[in-house]
Amino acid sequence: MPFDPNDPLKDRITDIGPPKYDKFFPPIVKENYGKWKYHEILEPGVLMHVSETGAEMYSVRVGAARLISVDLIRDICDVADKHCGGYVRWTTRNNVEFMVDDKSKLQPLIDDLRSRGNWFPMGGTGASITSIVHTQGWAHCHTPAIDASGVVKAVMDELFDYFGSHKLPAQVRIALACCLNMCGAVHCSDIAILGVHRKPPLIEHERVQNVCEIPLVIAACPTAAIKPKKVGELKSIEINNSRCMFCGNCYTMCPALPLANAEGDGIALWVGGKVSNVLSTPMFSKLAVPYIPNEPPRWPTTVNTIKKIVEAYAAGGRRYERIGDWINRIGWERFFETTGIEFKHEHIDDYRLAMTTWRTTTQFKF
Amino acid sequence: MALKHKTPMLDELEKGPWPSFVTDMKRMAARKATCEDWLGLMEMSYEDKEGHWKHGGIVGVFGYGGGVIGRYCDRPELFPNVAHFHTIRVNQPASKFYSTEILRKLCDMWEEKGSGVTNMHGSTGDIILLGTTTDQLEPVFYDLTHEFGMDLGGSGSNLRTPACCVGKARCEWSCIDTQDITYDLTQEYQDALHRPMFPYKFKFKTSGCPCDCVAAIARADCSIIGTWRDKIRIDQEAVRAYAGGELVPHGGAGGSEKRAVDVQAEIVDLCPTRCMEWDGKTLKIWDEDCVRCMHCIRVMPRALRPGTDTGATILVGAKAPILEGAQLSSVVIPFMKMEAPYEEFKEFVEKMWDWWMENGKNRERLGELIQRLGLQEFLKNCELTPDPRMVNTPRYNPYIFYDPAEVPGGWEHDIAAYRSRHQA
C-alpha cells in the first residue's frame, strides 16, 4: 500500500530500529566475522585483512566530503556494483571503503577509482591526515560562527599530500565544529578548528517576551551575566557584557538573542588532543590560536597556520608520537617557538579548573 | 544550463585536489531547484560571513519526539526553494555497511521527496537527509519504515543513535561484539530513542579495543570500550621476524617497506609501564603490569594479539564543553564480560538513567550531574563498589563528607558531658 496522505496513521510501522548490522555485510565479512587475524596496509589507502580461515580481504579507502549528493552516492554504487559485489561501507570519519575478496580484483578497482577525476582520492590510512570530521556550518545550522564544508575543503586541498602518504610520525586527526556547542565534539583532536563568536548577543527587546521563557534564559547563562529587565512596557533581559564568554547557550534558549556577527566571528585553533589509549592516555586539545578572522572562500590564514603546525610536527615528532605527545615532550614554550605562533593572554585559562593548567614548578625551558 | 544564482566565491572551492562539495551540488542544481537555491544561499553567507538559517522550528512525524530537525531559511523571498529545509536523521546500520541496492533506493526516494543532499554521515553516526518540506516528512517516514526497513535516529533530549567502530566485521583487535551491542541497545531502547524522556541528550558509543576508533571516551555519556584481563598472546617466532626485518612493522601504518624493528627502543622502552623485556630472542611480558595500551600489538600485529578473556571497561560522563567544560568519560566498571543479551549491563544502564532522570536539571548531561553531586553518589545509586581503577589519584583535599552511619554514635553530641570535661 502506498502512503495515503488522508490517513497517515494507517498501517503505521514504528520503532523498528535500524536494519540489523549484518544485513548488508559482503559475504567475506559474514564468513569471517570475529575471525580476522592480522592486517597490513599495502600502500596508502589499501588495507589487507587476513583471516584465521586463510581468507584475504582488500579494502580501498577513499576520501569524501561529508556533504554529498545522491548523484555521488550513485557513483559510489556504480563502483561497488562493478568491483565489490554490490557492497560498500563508510568509516567513522566520512571515508568510503570499497572491499574485494580477491587480490586479482584489487588493481581493476584502483584503476577504476583513479579514472574518475578527483572524486575518489585514495588514502587516509596509517600515519596520514585522514578526512576531517565536521559539523554543518553555514550549510544548515542556525548557530554557526563559521562555515564547515568550505573550511574543510580548503584545509584538505593544502594538506592533500599528507592524506595519500604515510610520512608523519603518527596519524593526525583534524576535526571542525562551527560553534562552541561542538556537536562535532572536536575537543580531543590532534588539531581542532572551532568557530567562535566574540560579540555578546544583541537583544531584541520587542521579541524577547514573545519568543522566550525569560527564567530559562537567565538560568542558561553559566556566568550569571543575564538579569531580567523591563524596557518600557516590555519584559526583557539585560546582559552584563563583561561577563559574557560567548558560549551561545542563551541564544539556544532564546531566538531573540542572536550573536552571529561578521566582524566578531572567526576561528580558534586547538592542538594536541587524542582519544586513543595508545602509549599516552586520552588528552584534550589545547588552545593554539585564539582568533583568526573568517576569510571565505578559502580561509588562507587558517589553512597556513594549520600547515605550519603540521610541518613543525612532521619535522620534530618522533616515530609513534601524536601531536600531543610531541608537545608534551618538547614543552609548550618550544611549541610556540617552533611554530612561530604568538602566545597571548587568551592562552591562560580563567574558567573553572583554570589553576590545573598553570605551571606550578620551576621546571621549564628558556 | 546556467544556474539561477551567480556563485563566484563558492566557485573558488571547485579548485584543488580534494573532492569538491560545490561541484557535487552544482550537478544536482542543474535539475533540482532546491539545490540551486541552496547554492545561492551559501554564496550569500560567504559574502555576509554570517549564516542564513533561522533558529529552531518544531516539526516531526506523528508519535516521535525526535529524528527531524526543523530548519527555515531567513531570506525566503530570495530563495523560496529552501524556505523550508528540514533534516531527517536515519538510524544507520551499526558500522555502516550497505548494499548498493538499499543505497540506490534511498537516493531515489530522497531525490523525489527531498533535496537530494545528504551527509554520510552525521557526527553521531546517522545517515542525514538534508533538506525537505514539512509535507514530505510523513511520506519519507512511510517509505523508510515500509519499503526500506529503516527508522529515524535520535535528536533532542532523547537517547541518541548508538554508534560503534567496525569491530569484529573487519578488525582483529575487537575484544567485544561492538555491532551486536550497538544493535541490541538500539532495539531495546527504541522508546527512549524516539520519545524525549531525559534531562538532555544521552549517547552510547562502543569501541572494540582501547584504540577507541569511535571516540567513545570523548563523546559518549556511556562509553563501552573493549579490553581483556588475561595475557597478550605472543608468537615469539613472529617477534623475531619483526626484529629481523622480515615483516612490515606497524601493519604498514608508517610505510609499507620491510624494516627491522628495534624491539628495545620502539617497543620495550616506549611501553608506558615498562612491563616487557627483550633479550634479542624472546619477548617477555609481565602481564600483571600491562595497562593494555595496544602499542606493542599495533607495531607487531602478526606477533602479538589481545588476550582471550575479553570484555569491556565501562566509563561514563564524556561530553563537549557546553556547558560546564569538556569532560572525558571516567571508569565506573573496570571490567564486564558483555555477552548477549547484556542483562547485567542493562541493569546498570537503568539504575543510571533513574538517578539522572530523578536528579538531573533541564539540559544537564550525566557528566555534569556527576560533577555536581559527586562520583560517590553515582556509584552508590548504581550499586557499584569504589575501586582504585576509578581514579587517577585518591583525593588530596581533606574535606570529606563522612557518612554518619560510619561514625560511632552518628552525628549526635552530648553537650552536658562535653561541658563537664571542658569549661566554656
Side-chain angles (χ1 to χ4, degrees), chain A residues 72-85:
Chain A
L72 187 59
I73 298 175
R74 290 178 181 128
D75 290 347
I76 290 168
C77 289
D78 289 345
V79 176
D81 280 338
K82 205 163 148 196
H83 302 276
C84 314

Side-chain angles (χ1 to χ4, degrees), chain B residues 276-314:
Chain B
M276 320 178 118
E277 214 174 271
W278 166 246
D279 62 4
K281 289 192 201 91
T282 308
L283 183 71
K284 226 155 113 189
I285 303 179
W286 281 270
D287 286 275
E288 63 275 24
D289 286 332
C290 170
V291 288
R292 302 165 312 286
C293 87
M294 301 291 297
H295 174 67
C296 57
I297 296 175
R298 281 161 59 101
V299 177
M300 304 194 292
R302 295 174 73 162
L304 304 176
R305 304 171 76 185
T308 53
D309 182 12
T310 55
T313 298
I314 313 296

Side-chain angles (χ1 to χ4, degrees), chain A residues 190-208:
Chain A
D190 293 283
I191 300 176
I193 306 166
L194 179 66
V196 293
H197 301 289
R198 295 186 308 163
K199 288 198 186 194
L202 62 87
I203 307 171
E204 295 175 282
H205 293 300
E206 306 72 38
R207 289 184 74 218
V208 169

Side-chain angles (χ1 to χ4, degrees), chain B residues 34-53:
Chain B
T34 342
C35 294
E36 212 176 15
D37 272 1
W38 179 84
L39 282 165
L41 185 77
M42 276 292 269
E43 180 73 15
M44 190 165 79
S45 296
Y46 271 57
E47 285 163 12
D48 294 351
K49 303 185 192 177
E50 288 173 7
H52 282 286
W53 299 102

Side-chain angles (χ1 to χ4, degrees), chain A residues 1-3 8-9 11-18 20-21 24-26 29 33-34 36-42 49 52 57 59 63 66-75 77-78 80-81 86-90 92 94 97 99 118-119 121 126-127 131 136 138-142 147 149-150 153 156-157 160 166 180-183 185 187-188 220 249 251-253 255 261-262 275-279 284 294 296-299 319-320 351-352, chain B residues 9 12-13 15-19 21 24-25 27-28 31 38 42 45-46 48-51 53-55 62 64 71 85 87 91-92 95-100 103-104 107-108 111 116-123 130 138-139 141-142 145-146 150-151 166 168-170 172-173 177 179-180 183 186-187 190 194-195 210-213 217-219 248 250-253 256 259 266 270 293 295 298-299 302 305 319-324 326 328 363:
Chain A
M1 285 288 287
F3 177 69
L9 295 182
D11 303 325
R12 196 163 187 81
I13 297 174
T14 69
D15 299 277
I16 54 171
K20 191 160 182 236
Y21 51 91
F24 307 126
F25 278 171
V29 167
Y33 194 82
W36 298 106
K37 195 171 170 199
Y38 69 90
H39 76 279
E40 197 168 304
I41 306 169
L42 303 180
H49 286 83
E52 312 255 15
M57 180 160 86
S59 307
R66 185 180 87 144
L67 185 75
I68 61 176
S69 75
V70 292
D71 277 353
L72 187 59
I73 298 175
R74 290 178 181 128
D75 290 347
C77 289
D78 289 345
D81 280 338
Y87 296 96
V88 65
R89 77 174 288 264
W90 268 260
T92 52
N94 313 325
E97 288 183 339
M99 297 148 288
N118 63 356
W119 286 113
S131 295
Q136 301 288 13
W138 294 333
H140 197 256
C141 182
H142 65 295
D147 186 34
S149 301
K153 160 76 175 148
M156 285 310 287
D157 277 340
F160 188 71
H166 290 159
L180 269 61
N181 275 323
M182 274 195 207
C183 49
H187 55 288
C188 294
N249 205 42
Y251 179 57
T252 299
M253 302 309 290
N261 180 282
V275 296
S276 99
N277 290 276
V278 177
L279 292 176
F284 289 121
N294 257 324
R298 294 203 63 102
W299 283 270
R319 196 198 298 272
Y320 308 124
Y351 193 48
R352 303 194 177 128
Chain B
M9 293 184 92
E12 290 298 311
L13 291 169
K15 299 170 182 166
W18 189 250
F21 70 99
D24 190 17
M25 290 308 136
R27 61 177 177 170
M28 284 296 295
R31 59 178 201 278
W38 179 84
M42 276 292 269
S45 296
Y46 271 57
D48 294 351
K49 303 185 192 177
E50 288 173 7
W53 299 102
K54 281 190 194 178
H55 189 297
F62 291 117
Y64 281 15
R71 191 63 78 224
F85 202 72
T87 294
N91 196 329
Q92 83 288 358
S95 73
K96 307 183 181 87
F97 283 84
Y98 297 98
S99 68
T100 54
L103 286 175
R104 287 184 197 280
C107 289
D108 293 348
E111 181 163 353
V117 182
T118 78
N119 290 148
M120 295 295 277
H121 296 72
S123 302
L130 210 62
E138 285 295 338
F141 182 66
Y142 186 94
T145 50
H146 287 74
M150 290 182 149
D151 201 343
V166 72
K168 288 176 185 280
R170 205 199 50 197
E172 65 271 28
W173 296 330
D177 197 338
Q179 281 144 96
D180 195 61
Y183 181 71
T186 311
Q187 296 298 345
Q190 277 291 296
H194 295 306
R195 292 161 198 95
C211 295
D212 195 5
C213 286
I217 208 162
R219 306 195 291 162
V248 178
H250 209 194
S256 359
R259 173 177 70 77
E266 291 182 51
L270 291 182
C293 87
H295 174 67
R298 281 161 59 101
V299 177
R302 295 174 73 162
R305 304 171 76 185
K319 56 181 280 294
I322 293 289
L323 201 60
E324 297 291 323
L328 291 163
R363 282 166 48 82

Side-chain angles (χ1 to χ4, degrees), chain B residues 182-331:
Chain B
T182 300
Y183 181 71
D184 192 288
L185 293 176
T186 311
Q187 296 298 345
E188 175 86 23
Y189 298 122
Q190 277 291 296
D191 195 34
L193 203 153
H194 295 306
R195 292 161 198 95
M197 55 190 278
F198 294 144
Y200 202 11
K201 62 180 96 168
F202 191 94
K203 300 185 178 189
F204 285 115
K205 292 194 191 294
T206 308
S207 281
C209 83
C211 295
D212 195 5
C213 286
V214 79
I217 208 162
R219 306 195 291 162
D221 300 272
C222 183
S223 321
I224 304 161
I225 301 180
T227 193
W228 67 94
R229 54 183 178 184
D230 54 345
K231 289 174 185 300
I232 290 176
R233 287 174 281 170
I234 309 183
D235 176 348
Q236 297 288 357
E237 202 68 33
V239 177
R240 286 188 283 274
Y242 276 111
E246 296 161 39
L247 297 170
V248 178
H250 209 194
S256 359
E257 300 74 37
K258 286 180 186 161
R259 173 177 70 77
V261 174
D262 182 340
V263 177
Q264 185 64 39
E266 291 182 51
I267 313 252
V268 177
D269 292 348
L270 291 182
C271 170
T273 59
R274 305 288 186 275
C275 70
M276 320 178 118
E277 214 174 271
W278 166 246
D279 62 4
K281 289 192 201 91
T282 308
L283 183 71
K284 226 155 113 189
I285 303 179
W286 281 270
D287 286 275
E288 63 275 24
D289 286 332
C290 170
V291 288
R292 302 165 312 286
C293 87
M294 301 291 297
H295 174 67
C296 57
I297 296 175
R298 281 161 59 101
V299 177
M300 304 194 292
R302 295 174 73 162
L304 304 176
R305 304 171 76 185
T308 53
D309 182 12
T310 55
T313 298
I314 313 296
L315 309 92
V316 298
K319 56 181 280 294
I322 293 289
L323 201 60
E324 297 291 323
Q327 285 178 240
L328 291 163
S329 275
S330 304
V331 174

